[in-house]
Each structure stands twice: as C-alpha cells, then as structure tokens.
Amino acid sequence: CNMYLRNNIKYLIPVISKNFVNPDTIFANNQMSLQDIEIYGFDYDYTLAFYSSHLHTLIFNIARDILINEHRYPEGLREYDYIPNFVIRGLHYDVQKALLMKIDAFHYIQLGTVYRGLNPVPEKEVIAMYEGSHVPLEIMSDFYGKSSHGHTMKQFMDIFSLPEMTLLLCVNDYFMKHNIDYEPVHLYKDVKEAIGDVHVRGIMYRAVEADNEKYICYGEQTHAVLRKLSKNGKKMFLITNSPFDFVNRGMNYIVGKDWRDLFDVVIVQADKPGFFNDRRKPFRRVTDKGVLLWDRIHHLEKGQIYKQGNLYEFLRLTGWRGSKVLYFGDHIYSDLADLTLKHGWRTGAIIPELRKEIKIMNTEEYVHTMTWLQALTGLLEQMQVHQDPASQTVIQQWINEREEMRLRTKDIFNAQFGSLFRTYHNPTYFTRRLSRFADIYMASLSCLLNYDLQHTFYPRRTPLQHESPIWPEQTSTGAMNIPFRTAPNQYIM
C-alpha cells in the first residue's frame, strides 16, 4: 500500500506543479470589486515604503546600546548582533516566563517553537509550564496584541517588531548564560522602552533620511501604482504614524518631489490605532518647515499636511464612508481591524513575507513533501481501525515518518518558527486575524498593477470539514484516487 501510494505520487507531482501560485497574486478573504472603490488610503511604512534589512540591524544596535548606556545593562551585550531571519512576525511573548512562541488559531502552542533566549525549550518543559499546550484566553494579549496587565502575552504583529523580538531573545540569552537572576517583566519593559526610544527620539528617522539608498528599497512600482490610481480619477489619502520630514524625504526618493500632488489628504503622526478610536484629538496643520499652526480645521485641503486628528473628524470633514474606501496597511491590528469592524471600510493587508513563502511552496521539494504528507495522513486516518500487531507496527512507522515530514516542512520556511501562516496543519493566530480583518492581501502594492480597476476579487471556495473536498478548481482528475483531506491550496505548514 505504501509503495502503491509513492508510485501514484510520482504521477501526481506534475499535475500539482501546473497549479503553482504566482507570488504577485492578490488573494481575497472576502468578495470585493475595485469598480466600487472610489477612495484609496495608505499607511506609509512597509506599505508605500519598503526597507532593507539594514534597518533592522540599525534598530537592534541602537536599542541594545540604549539598554547598556541608559538602563545599566551589562557591557557584554555588545557581543550580540542582529540575527536576520531568526524570528518571524505574529509570535507571542510570555512576559512573565520570558518565552517567545508561535500559537495557532485555536490558542495552541506549536511545540518545538518555544524559545527562551536563543535556545528552544524542550516540549516536556513547555507542557509542564502550561499544563498542556493550550494558552487560555485570559492570558492572551488584548485586542491590539499588547501586553497590558499582569500575567499576559504580547503578540508582535508588525515588521518593525523583528529587531525587538531578537533583542529580547539576546538579552535573555546573556542573562541565562551568565547565571544572572533577573525579573523578566522588567526586561520586557526595558527592551520595549529602548525600542520605542529609537522611534520617539527620531534616531531611526534621521539615519534613514541621511542614507535613503541604504535603507529604502527604491519603490518604482509604488510610484506606478499611485500614478495608475490618479490617472483613473481615484482619490487618495495617507495616514501614517511617522513624522512629516521622514515621510517627505522618503516619498521624494520613491515617487518624486511632486508626490503630494497625488494625495488629496496627508496625515502624519496619527497615533494609530488611537486615531481610529479617540475622538478627542483635533487635527493640526503643519507647515513645510514642521511648524504647528493653531487655527481650527474646517476643511482637509489638498496640498496641506495635517497632524494627529481622529477618524471620526476625518469622516465628518471628507464624507468618505463605507465600502467605497479601501485602506492598505501592514499592521493587521493598528491599520485594519477598527476600519473593517467599526466603519465598514474595505481593507488590504500588505504582507511582504508572502512572496518568499509562495516561492518556497512552488518548489518541487515542497510539493513532493506536502503531497506525500497528505497521503500519509489519509492512510493513517483510514487504517487506524486495524488493531492487529502487524498493522499497528506499520501505522507507527507512518506516524513517525509523518512527524519527520512535518518538522521538515516547518524548517523549509524558518528553522525556528516555520511559516508565518501555518502551525503544521492549522492556521496561525496571525492568519486567523488576517482572514478576519483584511478583505484582500498581497505581497506588495505593486500587485495592483496586474489588475484592471474594474476587477472583482472572489475568495476561493475551500471545503468545510463536512463538505466534499472534490471541487473542480482544487482537484485534478489524476488526484481522485489519493485520499486528500484538504485542498492543495491549503498546503502551508
């Protein structure tokens, strides 16, 4: 039976390979037509502007030095450098236990992805600490992924959080290696404050402004997207937490000195997500030299720059309401959640990691591994009824092989934490929030260039557990005899 399946999979691989996914595709969680969209809104960082890995190294180094110079942390921390690709987005950090981990959509920890410092915590130890692998709702992070009280977790959802997570791990690693007794809550707060200072004091902004070529990935296609929307008569606005000088220099570099002519409204230092909820902060006009004016704002004028404000005042002054507005951002909570839940705007998530993960999924190694993994799962499901010793021996071999392949597919994406989107077969907690708060998602805004502005995005119909898995768009004729339980497009670990 085992050999029969292996032979069949050889013929199945080319069939699945024909269905490789284009990394420049826009994916839909909810049906949406661009024909209905009249106004396009954008975040700035990691939406209009993309940054090189040099920026993460810069943030890490500055925050590390702040810990040493201002928080009296040991000089030995200077031995640690930023480790690219060690962590991924969407991870949870247990503040009191000083553990970084990956959690799935059902609040279960993915064993093997729990780290204290730079080393994994053994599965038995994790199970003992949490009395299993489930994390109760009351100690999960709040709605915005923040750690706001007592024994709870913080979820890291934006790309800027990668150096913060890495610094947390490195400081924990140093203290453990040198047998230093420390309070994990203090460490978390100090690292959070140091990372915040890199932004608040403008250190990062000044460094990027001084060397755009080093830190900004030149956005020629971002320019093309904005021109395309403008040419088609679409209104556009920008709402960002970054300061004007930083945005202005970046947009001059990415789009050109006339970038402000493309936008009907520009809002800086918006303080999202507070911008979407706090009705108290009025807009202030900012001059080109950064001077704040005191006059009351009766209109949001094109060509002017505004600071702070709030969404309710924005809606009153513009009249831009409901599903005719599409807003793009990279932070699922701060950028998208309130807009879709409270205001009915359409939302687009920018997920740069998509491009890399799809390219991995398109490799022959991945397709072969996943096809065999699914076939093994089907075999186990069907053959587990046989209780005789010979059958049980074979079944145990299949279980062991399946576990080895699950670990291999995790490591293909990231040796420590696997894919951003899956914990083995389940969606991650990150994916659950993405599917709830984003109508569409894509690797970058440049994906819009592949679509007409009349295009309708349709979510793919994937079968529910009680529905037949045989849908024409998902299963080829040659695959009918293989006992798949999920659709090919769900093969992410």
Side-chain angles (χ1 to χ4, degrees):
C1 184
N2 200 334
M3 185 58 66
Y4 171 77
L5 244 84
R6 286 189 185 276
N7 289 334
N8 270 272
I9 284 169
K10 289 180 182 177
Y11 297 105
L12 184 58
I13 299 296
V15 175
I16 296 176
S17 298
K18 290 178 182 176
N19 295 323
F20 280 167
V21 178
N22 183 347
D24 292 322
T25 301
I26 294 178
F27 303 93
N29 291 319
N30 193 16
Q31 184 172 327
M32 187 190 78
S33 177
L34 293 180
Q35 188 171 0
D36 300 329
I37 306 301
E38 300 173 13
I39 305 114
Y40 287 76
F42 305 92
D43 181 31
Y44 176 68
D45 296 303
Y46 288 106
T47 300
L48 292 174
F50 284 80
Y51 300 102
S52 70
S53 58
H54 295 296
L55 185 61
H56 292 158
T57 300
L58 175 78
I59 294 170
F60 178 94
N61 289 342
I62 296 171
R64 179 200 60 203
D65 292 347
I66 289 173
L67 286 178
I68 296 168
N69 299 332
E70 300 180 24
H71 294 269
R72 303 172 66 86
Y73 275 62
E75 278 286 335
L77 285 174
R78 293 195 202 276
E79 299 170 7
Y80 288 87
D81 294 316
Y82 180 65
I83 311 169
N85 304 315
F86 191 90
V87 297
I88 62 172
R89 259 203 297 174
L91 300 177
H92 282 77
Y93 184 75
D94 189 317
V95 174
Q96 293 201 344
K97 291 186 173 70
L99 298 175
L100 189 67
M101 69 193 71
K102 185 174 167 188
I103 296 178
D104 74 11
F106 303 97
H107 293 199
Y108 282 91
I109 300 166
Q110 182 176 1
L111 296 175
T113 69
V114 180
Y115 276 72
R116 182 186 288 116
L118 298 173
N119 297 300
V121 180
E123 293 184 8
K124 287 184 179 179
E125 191 177 332
V126 174
I127 290 169
M129 280 190 287
Y130 291 95
E131 298 179 347
S133 60
H134 183 264
V135 181
L137 179 63
E138 61 266 22
I139 71 167
M140 293 286 282
S141 55
D142 68 12
F143 181 78
Y144 293 107
K146 294 180 180 178
S147 175
S148 54
H149 61 278
H151 183 91
T152 187
M153 293 193 175
K154 150 84 177 177
Q155 188 183 18
F156 292 98
M157 291 295 275
D158 69 331
I159 301 173
F160 277 132
S161 66
L162 298 179
E164 182 176 356
M165 284 186 276
T166 308
L167 185 58
L168 274 169
L169 294 180
C170 289
V171 179
N172 275 306
D173 190 72
Y174 180 88
F175 284 170
M176 287 188 299
K177 279 184 177 177
H178 293 82
N179 296 314
I180 299 173
D181 188 27
Y182 67 101
E183 171 53 62
V185 174
H186 296 331
L187 187 152
Y188 166 74
K189 289 181 177 177
D190 288 345
V191 170
K192 180 182 178 183
E193 184 178 329
I195 291 286
D197 284 345
V198 177
H199 296 269
V200 172
R201 297 180 188 177
I203 304 169
M204 182 196 81
Y205 299 131
R206 288 193 294 273
V208 174
E209 288 172 28
D211 197 347
N212 282 330
E213 289 189 8
K214 180 177 180 180
Y215 294 108
I216 297 179
C217 301
Y218 181 62
E220 187 173 329
Q221 290 184 304
T222 296
H223 187 191
V225 170
L226 296 177
R227 293 288 183 194
K228 176 178 180 178
L229 296 175
S230 178
K231 184 180 177 181
N232 282 271
K234 305 298 182 182
K235 294 187 179 297
M236 288 184 282
F237 64 92
L238 174 64
I239 302 178
T240 175
N241 286 351
S242 294
F244 173 67
D245 282 348
F246 178 71
V247 174
N248 187 42
R249 294 200 182 207
M251 290 297 281
N252 281 344
Y253 179 71
I254 296 168
V255 177
K257 293 186 183 298
D258 62 342
W259 71 269
R260 285 164 63 178
D261 295 340
L262 297 170
F263 290 90
D264 294 270
V265 178
V266 176
I267 300 167
V268 298
Q269 292 176 276
D271 192 30
K272 295 178 292 181
F275 180 87
F276 299 127
N277 296 291
D278 189 346
R279 297 172 182 258
R280 293 171 296 178
K281 291 182 180 178
F283 285 107
R284 293 195 74 171
R285 195 152 58 89
V286 187
T287 68
D288 288 356
K289 294 184 178 179
V291 177
L292 287 171
L293 302 180
W294 47 263
D295 54 319
R296 186 188 294 271
I297 304 300
H298 296 284
H299 306 283
L300 295 177
E301 300 174 21
K302 185 169 184 173
Q304 300 296 326
I305 305 297
Y306 300 93
K307 178 183 175 181
Q308 295 177 341
N310 65 81
L311 184 66
Y312 298 91
E313 190 71 1
F314 179 86
L315 296 175
R316 185 182 72 82
L317 294 172
T318 62
W320 294 345
R321 298 177 181 276
S323 57
K324 65 182 180 181
V325 185
L326 171 58
Y327 185 79
F328 292 97
D330 72 292
H331 197 302
I332 296 169
Y333 295 147
S334 294
D335 286 324
L336 309 181
D338 288 309
L339 294 176
T340 187
L341 290 177
K342 297 179 181 178
H343 302 284
W345 284 12
R346 309 313 293 265
T347 52
I350 304 300
I351 314 291
E353 298 93 335
L354 256 180
R355 189 165 274 115
K356 176 185 173 183
E357 293 217 4
I358 289 172
K359 287 179 179 178
I360 291 171
M361 291 165 57
N362 285 345
T363 62
E364 186 173 334
E365 176 193 4
Y366 182 81
V367 172
H368 187 279
T369 302
M370 287 309 305
T371 306
W372 179 234
L373 184 58
Q374 290 297 97
L376 263 181
T377 304
L379 270 177
L380 285 168
E381 186 176 18
Q382 294 171 16
M383 302 301 287
Q384 62 186 324
V385 296
H386 298 287
Q387 298 298 317
D388 61 281
S391 296
Q392 284 298 305
T393 299
V394 174
I395 287 170
Q396 189 57 52
Q397 290 173 352
W398 288 344
I399 289 172
N400 295 340
E401 184 176 0
R402 180 174 181 265
E403 186 58 29
E404 289 174 9
M405 299 186 77
R406 277 155 55 101
L407 290 172
R408 193 187 311 161
T409 53
K410 164 186 162 285
D411 292 347
I412 288 174
F413 293 101
N414 176 282
Q416 292 72 235
F417 299 100
S419 165
L420 173 64
F421 302 98
R422 288 251 185 213
T423 58
Y424 295 138
H425 53 281
N426 285 340
T428 57
Y429 197 84
F430 177 92
T431 301
R432 183 180 187 179
R433 312 311 268 175
L434 173 66
S435 61
R436 178 66 185 90
F437 300 140
D439 291 295
I440 56 175
Y441 64 100
M442 66 209 76
S444 71
L445 278 177
S446 63
C447 299
L448 276 171
L449 297 173
N450 302 321
Y451 296 85
D452 187 271
L453 293 183
Q454 307 297 311
H455 187 88
T456 298
F457 297 100
Y458 296 96
R460 186 174 299 158
R461 184 183 178 113
T462 53
L464 302 174
Q465 294 300 311
H466 65 277
E467 294 178 327
S468 167
I470 310 301
W471 297 100
E473 68 178 57
Q474 294 162 335
T475 309
S476 302
T477 306
M480 293 297 185
N481 293 324
I482 304 298
F484 290 127
R485 291 299 175 203
T486 53
N489 65 294
Q490 294 175 304
Y491 290 174
I492 307 178
M493 299 305 283

